[in-house]
Amino acid sequence: MATLLTFQTEMDEHSREIAKQRVIIQAAADKEKDNKKSAKGKSKDETAPEPLSPVADSASATGALEMEEKFIKALLSRTPSDHDVARDLIASLITQHHGEYVFRIGLQPPHSKLFAGELTDDADGWSGVSRSDGELDAIHQGITAIVEEIGGKTSLLFETRTGHPRLSLLLRLPPPNVSLTPEVRCAVVGNVDSGKSTTLGVLTRGALDDGRGRARVGLFRHKHEIETGRTSSVGMEILGFGVSGAPILPNTANSNDPDVIRREKLGWEEISLQAAKIVSFIDLAGHEKYLKTTLFGLTSGAPSCVILMVGANAGLIGMSKEHLAIALALSVPVVVCITKIDMTPPNVLAETIKQVVKILKSPGCRKAPVFVKDVETAVEISTTFGKDRLCPIFQISNLTGEGLDFVRTFLNLLPSSEGDHEKFAVNQPLEFSITETWSVPYVGTVVNGIVNNGIINTGDAVLMGPDANGNFLSSVVKSMQRKRANVNTAEAGQCVSLALKRVRRAAVRKGMVVVHKTETPPKAVRQFEGQVLILYHNTTLQKNYQAMLHCGAVRQTVRIVGMDAVCLRTGDRATVQFEFISHPEFIKEGMKLLFREGKTKGLGVITRLL
């Protein structure tokens, strides 16, 4: 499995290289435009900022620590001029970090010891400045007053007065409007009956489960799902966090009447208007016959992390392993939630934990498991787990509520999806991929999806396609909604719905893209070349082999028309030429692809369009 890791690293490098080239080409085009404008006597437009490189990212982290030290120094000096300096520093710190910042006061523990559960006051690696109880209180009060001055709120995340006194504060500014609310997308996967929908019901509705499926009923979309208790479609749920960091839940959260719980839920629009941060859950199916739907949800939803639900009584079985393999293949960070700990005997729970740890440490995963059993660990791991190959493990019970507070704290602090500038570039031409289509009475055709690049506004003239012949239809964005609240603009990384003018629903399908109207429409592709790695195939794979390809929101059967090897077996790497069977699609170089047919699975990256 070492080849999988090497292959994934190469894929990421290839994608980054192509993204860099696109930025350079775009910058050159912008410069040329500016030169033309300045020649006509017009002022130059400001060019959009380039995405942060990992080096710039680490430099900004060091800069944040320096700003914190300057801020505390200015705060404790108590002079009016220093008060203004402190206010400006804290305002720039929060705005640089997308409207929220975790401020740590006192000596900070070494992450390696904290995550391993071996933290002691004598351990090596404590960093920062030691503070007395009096200093902690003075700094806390000072920060609260200054953040309120700039219109934000301060909430206490964690505090300890024993050993090395320290505390962590969440400083958050309310977003100016719904279109600028930070959003985190999480895909929820796991085997049948592992408690996915129940956990989401408890997190988003606030009421605990009764052990008989009360919490999940409000999430189901179809009658047969309520009857069988099994999700068969891609469900969407949102959890909003207020400026104070508290989850936004309906007033009936403590009610025991199932009908009240099902009926009384906060609308998405209400949550969006109150929230300073939104966590969007993509509730996926656990049953084997719905794997195609689950795969589409994982590839098209562009999740920031995958929450893998494992039933403590059953362990990591069946489709759980399949879902974990797909998440690893797509390089999406994984979070494990072990559910049903209230009904599982201690020896069975210990066996499940041992199995989960063994699989996460195996050469195929290479993840370091971290058991989140306190608030400090939840706070510290929320921002670092994706970069450091860590895998947080939560042990929760939806019946008693044990462990759910740690999950909420963790979700509240996750970095927003649109903040990933490597994945979503605002300064590129518009590209919106369609993942859902509807026909709404008195509105017309509505499409839902993610803005991969650029910015889209209501009233924009757009092209949508490709259709069966590879052509693009022209249309206009009539109106736009984000989390069911009306907005006028959306930028890269955001998930929005567009109402399109003069378009029949039959003419739209999942996998199409919406781009700005230009003289030269984008080119639809029927054949392309990719570097692939065969993860599993029980015999040999030859020319003319057909499989289902998942590439972003594109989902279609492809045929192998050529390859640089006679045949391929499990573990083989090759350059393969593919052809779409039914109609051309809009794809780009550097996109990841996943193809499967029965038990056969392959992973790859598009290297050339033919």
Side-chain angles (χ1 to χ4, degrees), residues 96-223:
Q96 276 173 26
H97 292 82
H98 307 285
E100 63 178 40
Y101 187 71
V102 177
F103 201 104
R104 299 167 179 89
I105 309 165
L107 278 178
Q108 294 307 307
H111 280 183
S112 54
K113 298 283 184 191
L114 177 67
F115 295 160
E118 300 165 356
L119 187 65
T120 59
D121 292 341
D122 310 326
D124 295 332
W126 286 81
S127 59
V129 181
S130 181
R131 302 278 177 193
S132 66
D133 284 0
E135 284 179 314
L136 284 182
D137 292 334
I139 295 168
H140 186 181
Q141 285 167 8
I143 289 176
T144 306
I146 286 178
V147 171
E148 277 180 8
E149 236 179 86
I150 59 172
K153 282 269 178 78
T154 306
S155 55
L156 182 68
L157 293 170
F158 165 78
E159 179 181 29
T160 181
R161 298 293 170 137
T162 54
H164 297 295
R166 59 192 183 277
L167 54 89
S168 296
L169 303 172
L170 173 64
L171 320 180
R172 187 174 269 168
L173 292 174
N177 53 48
V178 179
S179 64
L180 296 171
T181 308
E183 179 193 9
V184 184
R185 284 186 294 277
C186 300
V188 183
V189 296
N191 198 46
V192 182
D193 306 332
S194 60
K196 296 181 293 299
S197 298
T198 301
T199 304
L200 289 192
V202 171
L203 285 173
T204 57
R205 305 286 194 275
L208 293 173
D209 192 43
D210 62 350
R212 292 283 177 272
R214 182 179 71 188
R216 71 187 179 200
V217 172
L219 274 71
F220 290 145
R221 297 169 68 181
H222 304 289
K223 186 169 177 276

Side-chain angles (χ1 to χ4, degrees), residues 139-405:
I139 295 168
H140 186 181
Q141 285 167 8
I143 289 176
T144 306
I146 286 178
V147 171
E148 277 180 8
E149 236 179 86
I150 59 172
K153 282 269 178 78
T154 306
S155 55
L156 182 68
L157 293 170
F158 165 78
E159 179 181 29
T160 181
R161 298 293 170 137
T162 54
H164 297 295
R166 59 192 183 277
L167 54 89
S168 296
L169 303 172
L170 173 64
L171 320 180
R172 187 174 269 168
L173 292 174
N177 53 48
V178 179
S179 64
L180 296 171
T181 308
E183 179 193 9
V184 184
R185 284 186 294 277
C186 300
V188 183
V189 296
N191 198 46
V192 182
D193 306 332
S194 60
K196 296 181 293 299
S197 298
T198 301
T199 304
L200 289 192
V202 171
L203 285 173
T204 57
R205 305 286 194 275
L208 293 173
D209 192 43
D210 62 350
R212 292 283 177 272
R214 182 179 71 188
R216 71 187 179 200
V217 172
L219 274 71
F220 290 145
R221 297 169 68 181
H222 304 289
K223 186 169 177 276
H224 69 86
E225 291 182 333
I226 296 170
E227 287 165 359
T228 61
R230 287 180 177 171
T231 307
S232 66
S233 56
V234 178
M236 290 291 289
E237 284 298 317
I238 66 169
L239 171 62
F241 287 97
V243 186
S244 63
I248 297 163
L249 302 169
N251 299 326
T252 54
N254 300 317
S255 170
N256 289 322
D257 184 357
D259 289 328
V260 169
I261 292 165
R262 195 177 310 137
R263 192 175 58 250
E264 294 292 329
K265 61 174 187 176
L266 275 176
W268 283 31
E269 194 175 353
E270 288 175 74
I271 295 174
S272 305
L273 294 170
Q274 292 178 44
K277 184 176 207 166
I278 293 172
V279 180
S280 298
F281 296 107
I282 308 164
D283 186 16
L284 299 169
H287 201 279
E288 191 170 354
K289 75 176 178 187
Y290 305 125
L291 178 62
K292 185 179 165 189
T293 307
T294 301
L295 250 174
F296 177 72
L298 278 172
T299 53
S300 67
S304 298
C305 74
V306 165
I307 301 174
L308 178 70
M309 295 288 176
V310 178
N313 55 342
L316 200 59
I317 54 162
M319 295 310 290
S320 299
K321 289 180 182 176
E322 191 80 25
H323 295 157
L324 177 61
I326 293 162
L328 292 168
L330 294 169
S331 306
V332 184
V334 178
V335 179
V336 175
C337 278
I338 298 174
T339 58
K340 307 184 186 182
I341 60 168
D342 55 279
M343 62 171 275
T344 310
N347 61 321
V348 178
L349 177 61
E351 199 58 45
T352 299
I353 290 170
K354 188 179 166 188
Q355 181 205 16
V356 168
V357 169
K358 186 183 174 185
I359 288 174
L360 289 174
K361 285 182 174 176
S362 68
C365 290
R366 294 198 180 177
K367 298 266 184 196
V370 177
F371 288 93
V372 183
K373 291 182 178 176
D374 56 72
V375 179
E376 188 174 21
T377 310
V379 170
E380 295 301 325
I381 203 168
S382 60
T383 48
T384 56
F385 80 104
K387 293 175 277 192
D388 302 340
R389 293 193 71 82
L390 300 171
C391 179
I393 300 175
F394 295 90
Q395 296 175 51
I396 61 170
S397 164
N398 294 316
L399 196 71
T400 63
E402 189 185 335
L404 287 171
D405 286 342

Side-chain angles (χ1 to χ4, degrees), residues 560-586:
I560 293 177
V561 290
M563 53 186 176
D564 62 359
V566 180
C567 61
L568 298 173
R569 292 182 176 86
T570 303
D572 285 356
R573 280 180 61 171
T575 303
V576 179
Q577 288 85 41
F578 293 101
E579 181 183 46
F580 286 114
I581 294 281
S582 56
H583 46 76
E585 297 278 9
F586 177 85

